[in-house]
Amino acid sequence: MARWGLLVEQNRGFGRETRVWSMGVLGHVEGTREEALEELRKKVEAFEPTHPRMVRRKVIYREPNGYLMMLDGSWENFHCRFTVAEQVFDSAPPPPPLPPAVEPAPKRGPWTATPRPAPPPKPSGPPMARDADVPPAPSRSGRDDLP
């Protein structure tokens, strides 16, 4: 089965001197070319271009290999080109397979008691003194009349 790249070309940068035409990958589709074009159409409709910031009008045209988006901005007009291309080579290793899905725990009804956690184990041995070197008599507060 073929792997299709969903590509976008658009203007990046600001001002006339630093603006460049840049390409990016929106995603990949395993399947037929028609399935890839349908997925690309969904991505084109939801795409938020870098330029213009304030879009007054957006028009989308279908081409043989994808779509063309014309954008009227407040000051200038821009366009984006969306293309479906078959991937024939990738030098990066394939991503690791996803782990198997874990089934969620069954839902408990309101009549089922929630199990309580076990109490922590009690320490063994003699009890520890709370205040080291402090006599347990009230005389430490300056009163000798209390037991």
Side-chain angles (χ1 to χ4, degrees):
M1 188 156 305
R3 179 177 167 111
W4 300 90
L6 309 179
L7 311 174
V8 59
E9 297 172 81
Q10 66 174 325
N11 287 305
R12 299 271 183 169
F14 296 97
R16 294 195 184 272
E17 294 81 28
T18 60
R19 191 177 316 159
V20 294
W21 187 242
S22 176
M23 179 175 270
V25 178
L26 296 174
H28 291 92
V29 173
E30 301 276 343
T32 65
R33 184 174 182 276
E34 289 73 27
E35 291 170 338
L37 280 167
E38 181 61 26
E39 185 65 27
L40 181 62
R41 184 187 61 78
K42 294 175 188 173
K43 292 197 179 282
V44 169
E45 291 173 358
F47 186 74
E48 295 291 329
T50 304
H51 294 294
R53 288 188 186 193
M54 305 254 314
V55 177
R56 291 189 319 188
R57 182 178 180 198
K58 181 192 310 187
V59 181
I60 300 173
Y61 295 98
R62 180 168 178 154
E63 296 183 314
N65 289 326
Y67 298 88
L68 182 63
M69 180 186 290
M70 305 296 292
L71 302 154
D72 293 340
S74 298
W75 300 97
E76 293 184 76
N77 298 331
F78 294 89
H79 70 282
C80 300
R81 184 175 304 277
F82 300 88
T83 310
V84 168
E86 184 177 4
Q87 180 179 336
V88 294
F89 177 76
D90 186 355
S91 64
L98 296 174
V102 177
E103 292 185 23
K107 291 186 176 181
R108 302 177 66 88
W111 58 88
T112 308
T114 305
R116 294 187 176 176
K122 294 185 178 183
S124 60
M128 297 177 56
R130 298 190 106 187
D131 296 321
D133 300 327
V134 176
S139 63
R140 67 174 174 252
S141 64
R143 294 189 62 185
D144 293 333
D145 59 331
L146 297 175

